[in-house]
Amino acid sequence: PICAKDISDDLMKEFAFLSGGRGKDKAWIITLPDNARFNEVPEETVSKVLTYLTSVPSQHESDTKFILILDRRLDTWTSVKMTLQKIAASFPGNLHLVMVLRPTGFFQRTFTDIGFRFSQEDFLLKLPVVMLSSVSDLLTYIDEQQLTPEFGGTLEYCHSEWVIFRTAIESFALTVKEIAQMLQSFGTELAETELPDDMYSIERILALRTEKYYQLKEDITAVTKEGKLLLSSFEEPDSGECSQDQHRERPGDWETVNRLLGQLREMETAFDGFWEKHQLKMEQYLQLWKFEQSFQEVKNAIEFLMGQQAELPDTGDSVPQVKQRLKDLGHFDGMAQDLIGKAQVVILHGHQLAANHHYALNLICQQCNELRHHSDLLSDEIKRKQMRLQKTLDLHTRLQQALQCCDEGAYLLANQQMDKCQSKEGAQKALQDIERFLESSSAYLNYDPQALHYDFESILTSELKCQIQSVQVKLENVRSMFENRQSCFKKLLDKHVRPVQLVAPRPENPPRSKSPLFSPKHGPPASPHFFWVFLSMMGRTPGTPPICCPAPRSLSSLTRRVCKGSHVINELIETERVYVEELFTVLTGYRAEMDNPAMLILMPPVLRNRKDVLFGNMPEIYDFHNKIFLHSLESCLGAPERVGFCFLDRRQDFQMYEKYCQNKPRSESLWRQCSESTFFQECQRTLEHKLGLDSYLLKPVQRLTKYQLLLKELLKYSTSCDGVQELQEALVAMLDLLKSVNDSMHQISITGYDGDLSELGKVLMQGSFSVWTGHRKGPTKMKDLARFKPMQRHLFLYEKALVFCKKREEHGDGYDKTSSYSFKHFLKMNAVGITENVKGDHRKFEIWYSGREEVYVVQAQTVDLKMAWLNEIRKILFKQQE
C-alpha cells in the first residue's frame, strides 16, 4: 500500500485533498481546487495521489463512495475537459458524483456550456458529472458544515497539517507493527530455543532474556506514549457534542490511533502474561536442574557405598579379624550416615519444590522416594552386617574361651610333678587340683555343639562349622585326658600301692608361660605329623589306647617354623589391609576432592583436569586389591599352602603396576610444581596425615617390592610343606614383574625415536654394553676403521626389534636429575643373526644384520649377563622360525 511518506512531495502540491467532509449520502468528498497547473501533473502522479486519498477512508469502511468537487471557476473549458478525461481514466474508487464549478468568465462559461452540451453524453457514460454555476448551487447538494471555507462552508482544513498527521499516524502504525513482530520473534525464541545442560549457562540465558524483556517493555512504553500524544492532537479543548460529531465525521484518524493503542495494550498484557509464565517455568527448570544434580550426586554416592558395602564381609575366621571388620564397618557406617544426612537435605529440598507447585511434581516426588529407599536400604544392610559380625564375634569369643580352657587344662596336667604323686597325699592333692579345675571350667569344657548350632544358626558358614567341630574335638580330647588322669590317680588311691611310673608331658616353655601349641591363635594341625604331636600331648595317638607319653623332641623346631610362617602370612594380610586403606584415603581425600567445586578455588591452575596425570591408574590398582586380591589372601588364613596360588592366579592383573610406574615421572613432575599449594595442605589436614601426598603416591611401588620380600621370607619356613613349588613360582613371577617394570621405566626415557615404541612389542631386556661396529658392503667410514675404543650403548631388546641408544645424564639436582636415552638406530629381529663366541673375550658376542651387511660386536659386563641376553635372543629367533 502507498504511504503518505512515499508521496509526501506530491501531496504537498495540493492538487487534490481529502478534507473530511461528506455528502448527504455519506460519500466522502475529495476536492480538486482551482489549480492552473493540474494538467501538467503526470497521470501516474495523479493516480497515486487519488489512490492514496481513496484508501484512507476505505481502511475503516466497506463500500466507500466518493464525491469529487472540481473547482474550475478560474479555468478554461479545455482544461476542464482534460481534467475530466484524466479523472475518468485514473480514479481508483467508487465515484458517486463529480461536481464541477464551471469557469466564471463570460466566454469560458459560454464555451463550457456549449462544450459540455456536446460532450455530455460522453462524460455521463464514464462519470456522473454535474455542472454548477456557483458555490450556492453546491450548497444544494452538500451541507455547509461539510464544505471548506472556499466553498462557503465551515469545515476547517489545513492541508499541510493533514499531511503531517497522516505521516505521523502511518509511522505510529508501522512502529506498532514492528513491536508486534519483535514480541512474536521473542516469544518464538523463548518457545523454541533448547536449554543447555549446565547451570551457569541456564542462569546466563535467564538473565539475558530478562534484560531483553525489560528492553521490550521500555519500547512498548515509549510507543504507547507516542500514540497517546498523537491521539491528544485530534481532540479539541472543548469536548462538546459538536466536536464529537465532528470527530465522527473525520476520516478515521482518531479511530485509527485509538485502535492501534488498544492493540498495543492487548499485546503488552498478553506479553506480560506469557513472560510471567515463562520466567516461572525457567526458574522452576533451574530449581529442578539443581535438585536433579544434587539427587544424582547423592544417589551415585549411595550406590558407590552400596557397592563398597557389598564387598565388606559379614563374617570372619578369628576374633581379631572380626573386630577389625566391625571397626571397618563402623567407619563405613559413619560415612554412610553423613551421606544419608545429605540425602535428607535433598529430600527436604524436593518437598519444598513440591509444596510450591513445581511443574515436575511427580518426578520430584518419585526421586525423593527413590533416594529415601536407597538410604533405608544402605542403613538396613549395614545394620544387618553389624548384627552378623557382632554375633560372629560372640561365637569366636566362646570358641576362644573354650580353646583357652583346653590350653590351661593341658598346661595343668603337663606341669603336675609326677614324682610327688606317688604317695597317697600327692595323688589326693593332684586329684583335687584336677577336680577344682574341672569345676571352674565346666561351663567351657561341657559346651554343647547342638546348642551352639542352634544359637548361631543364622551366621554359621562352612568355615565356622569346621571351627566348632575342631574345638569340639579338642574339648573331647581334653576331657578324655582328664578322665584318664583321674582314673590313674583313683587307682593309686584305691590300691594304696606304688603306682606305675607316669611320664608327664614336658612343657616346652617355662611354667610361667603357656605353650604356643595350645594358643587359640593357632588353628588345626597343618600336617599329619602335627596331628600326631597334638594327640600325643592330649594323651592319645591314632590307633592306641589313651596313655600318658612323652612329647616328641621335634615339636619345638616344627612349632617355631610353623609359627614364623604363620607370622609372615599374618603380616602379608595385615599389611595388605593397610595398603588398601591407604589407597582408599588417597583416592577419596585427594583425587575425589579435585572434582569438588568448593575446593576449586584452592587448586592451582596447572593442576586442574590433570588428576589422571597425578594419580595415574591408582583407581584401577585399588579396585583390584580391594575387590579381589585382599579377599584371596584372607582365604589363606586357614589354608597357607594357597598363598602361592593367589599370586599366580593374578599375575596378569599385576601388569597394571607397569602402567602406574611408567606414569610416575609425569606424576612427580606435576607434584613438584604444586606441592606447596593450599589445596594439598587442606586435604592433608582433613585426612590428618602426617606425611604428604608424595609419600602415598610411592606406596604402589613400595608394595610391589614388599611382595617379593614376604614371599622369600615365607619360603624359608615352608621347605617341606604343601604349596612350596607354587610359592617359588610366585616369587619368580614377582621378580619378573619387577624386572619388567624396571625395563619399561627405562623405555619411557628414550628420545628421538620417530614412531611408536609400543609397536615393537614388549621390552624383554635392557642394559648398557660396549659396542664395536663393522660393515661388509658399501663405503666404510674411516672413523669405524679407526675405532679401537668401543662405543657405549644402551640396548633395548623388544619382541620385534633391537634398539641402540646412547645414555645421557641430564643436569639437575635431586629429583630433577634423570637419565635419558638418545635413539641411534634399531635392527628388526626377523633379519638378525648371532654368533655366540668372539675371540679374545668370553664376554663378547656378535649380532649381525641382513646377511652380515652390518656386524656389531657386543661386550657384556659379565659372562652370565651375556648368556642371559643370548638366551632371550635365541627364544625370539626360535619363535620366528615356528
Side-chain angles (χ1 to χ4, degrees):
I2 301 173
C3 299
K5 183 177 66 173
D6 299 333
I7 59 171
S8 60
D9 292 340
D10 296 328
L11 286 173
M12 293 305 291
K13 293 176 182 178
E14 203 175 352
F15 58 80
F17 61 84
L18 184 69
S19 63
R22 304 183 76 164
K24 292 178 181 180
D25 55 356
K26 298 300 182 183
W28 292 94
I29 298 172
I30 296 178
T31 303
L32 273 70
D34 198 357
N35 189 330
R37 305 185 66 180
F38 175 78
N39 291 323
E40 298 177 6
V41 179
E43 187 174 336
E44 182 182 357
T45 303
V46 173
S47 177
K48 283 183 180 179
V49 171
L50 291 177
T51 299
Y52 177 72
L53 294 177
T54 55
S55 69
V56 173
S58 300
Q59 295 174 1
H60 314 287
E61 297 178 8
S62 59
D63 194 22
T64 310
K65 295 184 289 185
F66 294 93
I67 295 174
L68 212 59
I69 297 177
L70 191 60
D71 185 6
R72 289 297 180 263
R73 288 174 289 178
L74 301 178
D75 212 341
T76 64
W77 162 245
T78 305
S79 176
V80 171
K81 185 178 180 181
M82 289 179 63
T83 301
L84 290 173
Q85 290 174 344
K86 189 176 289 188
I87 290 170
S90 61
F91 193 81
N94 181 8
L95 189 56
H96 182 60
L97 186 63
V98 178
M99 297 183 180
V100 182
L101 285 172
R102 63 183 179 180
T104 56
F106 175 75
F107 291 108
Q108 292 301 323
R109 182 174 58 187
T110 304
F111 290 150
T112 301
D113 290 340
I114 297 171
F116 182 70
R117 191 176 295 115
F118 284 107
S119 304
Q120 186 174 8
E121 293 181 3
D122 295 336
F123 286 120
L124 288 175
L125 291 175
K126 298 179 182 179
L127 298 171
V129 180
V130 176
M131 282 290 179
L132 301 177
S133 301
S134 64
V135 172
S136 58
D137 293 342
L138 186 61
L139 292 174
T140 60
Y141 291 92
I142 300 173
D143 190 270
E144 65 177 2
Q145 292 181 352
Q146 304 298 327
L147 292 172
T148 53
E150 63 265 30
F151 299 123
T154 60
L155 180 63
E156 296 293 335
Y157 175 75
C158 178
H159 186 67
S160 59
E161 289 183 1
W162 184 85
V163 173
I164 292 171
F165 275 128
R166 287 306 306 171
T167 304
I169 291 169
E170 291 173 0
S171 175
F172 176 64
L174 183 62
T175 305
V176 172
K177 183 178 179 182
E178 290 174 351
I179 288 290
Q181 291 173 345
M182 289 167 63
L183 295 182
Q184 184 178 4
S185 175
F186 185 55
T188 304
E189 178 187 342
L190 297 184
E192 296 181 356
T193 303
E194 292 186 5
L195 294 176
D197 293 333
D198 61 290
M199 186 168 58
Y200 172 78
S201 299
I202 295 172
E203 290 176 339
R204 177 65 178 159
I205 287 176
L206 182 58
L208 290 174
R209 288 181 176 179
T210 304
E211 181 181 353
K212 191 170 183 179
Y213 165 75
Y214 284 116
Q215 182 62 50
L216 284 171
K217 285 287 288 182
E218 290 178 5
D219 294 343
I220 293 172
T221 303
V223 174
T224 303
K225 186 177 179 181
E226 177 187 344
K228 288 180 178 179
L229 184 63
L230 188 59
L231 189 65
S232 66
S233 65
F234 295 118
E235 298 175 354
E236 299 294 335
D238 297 327
S239 56
E241 294 181 2
C242 181
S243 64
Q244 291 179 1
D245 292 338
Q246 191 175 5
H247 292 163
R248 282 195 295 272
E249 296 303 322
R250 286 183 178 178
D253 294 342
W254 186 88
E255 289 85 350
T256 299
V257 176
N258 193 45
R259 177 174 53 80
L260 291 171
L261 281 172
Q263 290 177 359
L264 201 57
R265 282 192 296 272
E266 290 174 2
M267 283 191 295
E268 183 176 16
T269 303
F271 178 60
D272 287 340
F274 176 76
W275 170 254
E276 185 178 345
K277 292 179 182 178
H278 174 76
Q279 187 180 35
L280 176 62
K281 188 172 181 180
M282 283 286 289
E283 290 174 351
Q284 289 188 343
Y285 179 81
L286 193 59
Q287 292 169 349
L288 178 63
W289 199 93
K290 292 178 179 178
F291 171 77
E292 287 193 320
Q293 189 179 39
S294 302
F295 162 77
Q296 201 61 46
E297 288 176 359
V298 175
K299 180 187 173 185
N300 291 343
I302 290 178
E303 289 178 348
F304 175 75
L305 278 188
M306 281 293 290
Q308 295 288 320
Q309 173 274 134
E311 295 169 4
L312 291 176
D314 57 1
T315 186
D317 298 329
S318 64
V319 170
Q321 188 185 61
V322 175
K323 284 183 176 180
Q324 180 61 43
R325 288 178 178 175
L326 271 171
K327 182 180 177 182
D328 295 342
L329 192 60
H331 174 68
F332 189 87
D333 186 38
M335 293 191 296
Q337 292 305 319
D338 291 343
L339 191 56
I340 290 172
K342 292 180 180 178
Q344 291 298 328
V345 173
V346 175
I347 291 171
L348 179 61
H349 182 207
H351 288 167
Q352 291 172 347
L353 293 179
N356 292 331
H357 308 289
H358 196 283
Y359 70 85
L361 175 65
N362 293 335
L363 175 64
I364 292 171
C365 292
Q366 176 187 343
Q367 291 181 341
C368 287
N369 293 335
E370 185 178 351
L371 212 53
R372 190 179 293 108
H373 172 71
H374 283 302
S375 300
D376 293 344
L377 204 62
L378 178 63
S379 180
D380 293 345
E381 193 62 24
I382 291 175
K383 287 178 182 177
R384 185 190 69 79
K385 287 197 172 181
Q386 284 178 328
M387 183 274 293
R388 285 182 61 86
L389 283 172
Q390 189 59 51
K391 210 163 185 180
T392 305
L393 180 62
D394 294 343
L395 175 60
H396 278 298
T397 303
R398 291 195 192 183
L399 295 178
Q400 189 178 43
Q401 289 170 344
L403 290 172
Q404 185 177 357
C405 180
C406 291
D407 290 350
E408 290 173 353
Y411 185 75
L412 171 66
L413 295 180
N415 283 280
Q416 284 183 331
Q417 298 179 7
M418 300 308 296
D419 54 342
K420 294 183 180 180
C421 296
Q422 302 297 322
S423 65
K424 180 179 179 181
E425 293 77 11
Q428 282 181 335
K429 184 179 182 304
L431 194 58
Q432 289 172 356
D433 291 340
I434 290 174
E435 289 173 350
R436 277 196 300 271
F437 177 81
L438 290 176
E439 184 179 355
S440 63
S441 304
S442 61
Y444 305 121
L445 289 177
N446 296 323
Y447 262 152
D448 182 5
Q450 295 300 325
L452 281 178
H453 277 275
Y454 179 79
D455 292 342
F456 297 96
E457 182 179 6
S458 61
I459 61 153
L460 286 182
T461 62
S462 57
E463 290 81 5
L464 287 174
K465 289 178 181 177
C466 289
Q467 288 191 31
I468 292 175
Q469 186 178 1
S470 173
V471 171
Q472 183 63 25
V473 170
K474 189 169 183 178
L475 286 171
E476 290 175 358
N477 290 333
V478 170
R479 285 197 295 265
S480 175
M481 186 171 64
F482 272 100
E483 289 171 2
N484 293 338
R485 185 64 62 89
Q486 281 179 311
S487 176
C488 290
F489 286 143
K490 285 178 180 179
K491 287 178 181 179
L492 284 174
L493 291 174
D494 290 342
K495 293 181 180 181
H496 295 284
V497 295
R498 183 178 180 84
V500 178
Q501 178 71 30
L502 296 177
V503 181
R506 179 185 296 273
E508 290 294 333
N509 297 323
R512 64 177 179 273
S513 63
K514 296 178 175 61
S515 169
L517 180 62
F518 296 101
S519 170
K521 292 181 182 178
H522 301 288
S527 65
H529 177 65
F530 225 124
F531 186 55
W532 181 279
V533 173
F534 176 78
L535 292 182
S536 299
M537 286 293 288
M538 292 302 173
R540 179 182 299 175
T541 56
T544 62
I547 58 170
C548 297
C549 61
R553 295 183 179 180
S554 60
L555 176 64
S556 176
S557 61
L558 177 61
T559 302
R560 283 197 300 272
R561 193 164 64 248
V562 172
C563 287
K564 289 182 179 178
S566 176
H567 174 73
V568 175
I569 293 175
N570 286 336
E571 181 183 358
L572 175 61
I573 294 172
E574 289 303 319
T575 54
E576 184 71 13
R577 288 175 182 147
V578 173
Y579 175 55
V580 170
E581 179 66 23
E582 286 174 337
L583 291 182
F584 179 76
T585 59
V586 170
L587 292 175
T588 56
Y590 284 98
R591 191 178 188 274
E593 288 299 303
M594 292 178 71
D595 294 328
N596 185 356
M599 297 289 284
L600 190 63
I601 192 173
L602 303 178
M603 199 182 306
V606 70
L607 190 62
R608 293 174 187 172
N609 300 320
R610 301 191 70 191
K611 61 183 180 183
D612 291 336
V613 175
L614 186 62
F615 296 95
N617 62 330
M618 185 182 284
E620 181 186 10
I621 294 174
Y622 168 74
D623 287 341
F624 164 64
H625 285 272
N626 181 49
K627 297 178 181 178
I628 300 173
F629 195 61
L630 175 59
H631 299 309
S632 297
L633 290 178
E634 286 175 339
S635 68
C636 298
L637 276 171
E641 68 276 2
R642 284 197 50 81
V643 172
F645 284 108
C646 288
F647 283 90
L648 292 175
D649 288 348
R650 299 295 173 186
R651 72 174 81 186
Q652 292 302 321
D653 294 315
F654 277 100
Q655 295 298 323
M656 67 180 68
Y657 278 88
E658 187 171 325
K659 181 179 178 182
Y660 183 84
C661 293
Q662 287 178 352
N663 181 67
K664 200 71 178 68
R666 297 174 63 210
S667 173
E668 289 175 352
S669 174
L670 181 59
W671 164 256
R672 290 195 295 273
Q673 294 178 53
C674 45
S675 59
E676 301 298 327
S677 72
T678 311
F679 171 78
F680 289 122
Q681 294 174 4
E682 178 63 22
C683 291
Q684 184 176 346
R685 184 192 65 77
T686 304
L687 292 171
E688 299 180 356
H689 280 178
K690 294 180 180 180
L691 300 175
L693 174 61
D694 56 331
S695 300
Y696 289 91
L697 293 176
L698 201 59
K699 292 290 182 181
V701 182
Q702 295 171 337
R703 187 61 182 167
L704 202 58
T705 309
K706 182 73 172 177
Y707 284 135
Q708 56 96 11
L709 296 176
L710 290 171
L711 288 172
K712 285 180 181 178
E713 190 72 13
L714 194 57
L715 270 171
K716 287 184 187 177
Y717 309 113
S718 308
T719 52
S720 58
C721 298
D722 293 338
V724 173
Q725 182 179 352
E726 287 75 15
L727 271 179
Q728 291 173 338
E729 292 178 9
L731 176 60
V732 171
M734 295 311 294
L735 290 172
D736 287 344
L737 177 62
L738 284 172
K739 176 183 175 299
S740 176
V741 168
N742 183 52
D743 291 344
S744 67
M745 290 293 289
H746 283 277
Q747 171 195 305
I748 63 174
S749 298
I750 295 176
T751 61
Y753 179 74
D754 187 14
D756 186 358
L757 287 169
S758 62
E759 295 178 356
L760 303 181
K762 184 180 177 182
V763 180
L764 302 176
M765 302 193 77
Q766 55 83 27
S768 295
F769 294 89
S770 299
V771 179
W772 291 264
T773 62
H775 302 274
R776 190 181 72 179
K777 296 181 180 179
T780 303
K781 298 179 181 179
M782 290 301 295
K783 66 177 183 179
D784 292 334
L785 292 174
R787 189 184 294 279
F788 297 104
K789 185 178 179 181
M791 297 179 292
Q792 296 302 315
R793 292 286 182 263
H794 202 90
L795 271 58
F796 291 86
L797 179 61
Y798 290 84
E799 291 175 322
K800 297 181 180 179
L802 180 64
V803 176
F804 289 75
C805 297
K806 184 174 182 180
K807 185 176 181 180
R808 300 185 186 279
E809 196 74 30
E810 301 290 343
H811 297 290
D813 297 321
Y815 280 115
D816 295 327
K817 189 172 183 180
T818 57
S819 296
S820 66
Y821 302 97
S822 177
F823 172 77
K824 293 301 181 181
H825 62 283
F826 76 100
L827 309 177
K828 293 182 179 179
M829 292 305 295
N830 57 11
V832 163
I834 55 173
T835 304
E836 297 188 9
N837 296 306
V838 177
K839 292 181 180 180
D841 196 330
H842 294 300
R843 295 174 298 169
K844 292 182 180 178
F845 62 97
E846 265 187 358
I847 299 175
W848 41 269
Y849 191 62
S850 297
R852 301 188 70 86
E853 286 186 8
E854 301 176 23
V855 179
Y856 301 87
V857 178
V858 180
Q859 179 179 300
Q861 294 180 358
T862 64
V863 175
D864 291 341
L865 183 60
K866 164 191 165 180
M867 296 309 298
W869 273 74
L870 288 174
N871 286 336
E872 284 297 330
I873 295 174
R874 203 179 291 117
K875 287 178 185 177
I876 296 173
L877 298 181
F878 284 154
K879 283 183 180 179
Q880 290 177 354
Q881 289 178 357
E882 291 174 0

